[in-house]
Amino acid sequence: MISGKQADCKLVMDYEVFNGVGIDEINNIAEVFLESVKRLTNKEVIVYSDLSNARDTFGIDIANNYELWLAYYGDYNDLVDVETNWRNWIGVQYTDRGRVSGVRGSVDRDLYTESIFLSDSTEIPNVENQVNKFNTESIVYTVQRGNTLSQIARMYGTTVEEIASINNIANPNLIFPGQELRILTNSTVNGSETRGAGSITYTVQRGNTLSQIANEYGVTVSQIVEVNDIVNPNLIFPGEKLRITDSTNSVLNPVMQNNFYTVRSGDTLYGIARRFGVTVQYLVNLNGIRNPNLIYTGQIIKL
């Protein structure tokens, strides 16, 4: 271990639990996270990974741009002939059962190169959190066949009680198709959208791509890129706000544009089917879904 030097170490992404997410999305999530941390902190970021994921999960783009802190419980001198997308590592955790004088129990033990230290050790700047700012803007939602207040509340990040109170609904279990409900958006619609005159502001969700967002709102990627002065269309990150307008500058209608639906946090295939008056089996067949119980945030569902 390096000692005798006072310095700050690079920031670390420790992404080990994937919950069945595919490799492409794992790398997309990792890249967005790493880039976001770099942008918000102005600090260098590295990847902590075991050998299996360094070899089989994280791709060449991540390996080319972010250094590796490897977890390998064995003789790390044997690693010179191991194939991964990284050519070398700047740190290795070689045991989780180490002993340190004065510390009770087992500890991790690591060996680092000088590259583990930050080249710039200035303080991380404060970043204002815009997520929870509140206002009382509202939208009008027209009840669809099969809707319930709990579904609608979940769609718009509010509660059944609030919707019932605002709309003077005596029986929250009784709503009907075509009924118009006023819903406070608290700056968001579907947890991601703010409406304004002639446009909406969409907050990027985890797993989003510009092509998905463009499909959802019936516009082109080029339109979004131009309006938002985006340099790299392949790099957007969760929390980023995008202004979206169509060529006529009219207010856009999400979700049903081009008969696609973008899965939101908390959605189930059953709930989506009910919301749009179709069967689960119809969505399964149309989208080639192998497991109806496994859909993920940002997934595009054809309707």
Side-chain angles (χ1 to χ4, degrees):
M1 297 179 66
I2 293 173
S3 61
K5 177 177 179 178
Q6 296 296 319
D8 293 323
C9 294
K10 294 176 180 177
L11 305 180
V12 180
M13 180 191 76
D14 182 357
Y15 184 18
E16 301 178 72
V17 180
F18 306 126
N19 294 325
V21 175
I23 287 179
D24 286 345
E25 188 178 2
I26 290 170
N27 280 270
N28 182 44
I29 292 168
E31 281 195 83
V32 169
F33 177 84
L34 290 161
E35 183 62 31
S36 297
V37 173
K38 280 181 60 179
R39 182 182 58 83
L40 293 171
T41 65
N42 294 322
K43 302 297 180 186
E44 299 150 285
V45 191
I46 64 174
V47 175
Y48 172 86
S49 175
D50 59 36
L51 181 59
S52 175
N53 286 318
R55 182 177 54 215
D56 302 325
T57 301
F58 294 116
I60 190 68
D61 289 338
I62 291 177
N64 283 342
N65 291 290
Y66 301 95
E67 295 168 297
L68 176 65
W69 173 16
L70 182 67
Y72 183 78
Y73 300 159
D75 185 355
Y76 48 82
N77 293 306
D78 292 338
L79 291 173
V80 292
D81 295 324
V82 174
E83 289 288 334
T84 74
N85 285 322
W86 279 274
R87 294 182 178 178
N88 48 47
W89 44 266
I90 64 170
V92 60
Q93 183 182 109
Y94 56 88
T95 182
D96 61 355
R97 299 182 181 277
R99 296 290 177 179
V100 174
S101 178
V103 177
R104 181 177 298 176
S106 299
V107 298
D108 296 339
R109 297 295 297 267
D110 299 88
L111 180 72
Y112 301 109
T113 69
E114 289 280 347
S115 297
I116 197 68
F117 295 123
L118 287 169
S119 58
D120 175 11
S121 58
T122 57
E123 290 188 6
I124 294 174
N126 290 325
V127 179
E128 184 180 2
N129 186 348
Q130 301 287 339
V131 173
N132 294 319
K133 288 191 172 181
F134 178 83
N135 66 35
T136 55
E137 294 180 1
S138 65
I139 59 100
V140 175
Y141 177 80
T142 302
V143 176
Q144 308 296 307
R145 186 179 67 177
N147 276 165
T148 66
L149 274 192
S150 61
Q151 289 174 336
I152 298 170
R154 188 167 61 248
M155 287 168 59
Y156 289 95
T158 184
T159 65
V160 170
E161 291 76 14
E162 183 175 86
I163 297 176
S165 174
I166 293 171
N167 294 277
N168 298 315
I169 297 174
N171 183 354
N173 296 314
L174 184 59
I175 58 175
F176 53 88
Q179 182 178 358
E180 293 187 343
L181 302 176
R182 179 171 172 257
I183 300 174
L184 294 182
T185 63
N186 295 343
S187 296
T188 63
V189 176
N190 285 337
S192 60
E193 172 194 325
T194 301
R195 289 182 178 274
S199 68
I200 63 99
T201 299
Y202 179 83
T203 303
V204 177
Q205 308 296 298
R206 188 184 73 174
N208 276 166
T209 64
L210 278 189
S211 60
Q212 290 173 339
I213 298 170
N215 281 335
E216 183 173 352
Y217 289 95
V219 298
T220 66
V221 170
S222 298
Q223 284 175 288
I224 299 177
V225 167
E226 181 178 356
V227 170
N228 295 277
D229 296 322
I230 295 173
V231 176
N232 183 354
N234 297 313
L235 183 61
I236 57 176
F237 54 89
E240 182 177 1
K241 295 185 183 298
L242 301 176
R243 181 167 170 261
I244 303 175
T245 62
D246 69 6
S247 57
T248 63
N249 205 38
S250 63
V251 177
L252 300 166
N253 185 30
V255 177
M256 285 301 290
Q257 289 285 348
N258 297 333
N259 296 320
F260 290 96
Y261 176 79
T262 303
V263 176
R264 312 291 187 186
S265 178
D267 274 345
T268 64
L269 202 60
Y270 173 75
I272 296 170
R274 285 196 61 187
R275 188 181 309 167
F276 294 103
V278 296
T279 66
V280 169
Q281 193 59 48
Y282 170 81
L283 294 179
V284 166
N285 293 340
L286 184 62
N287 292 274
I289 296 172
R290 295 182 180 180
N291 184 351
N293 297 313
L294 183 60
I295 57 175
Y296 56 88
T297 303
Q299 181 177 357
I300 303 296
I301 302 291
K302 289 186 287 188
L303 300 170

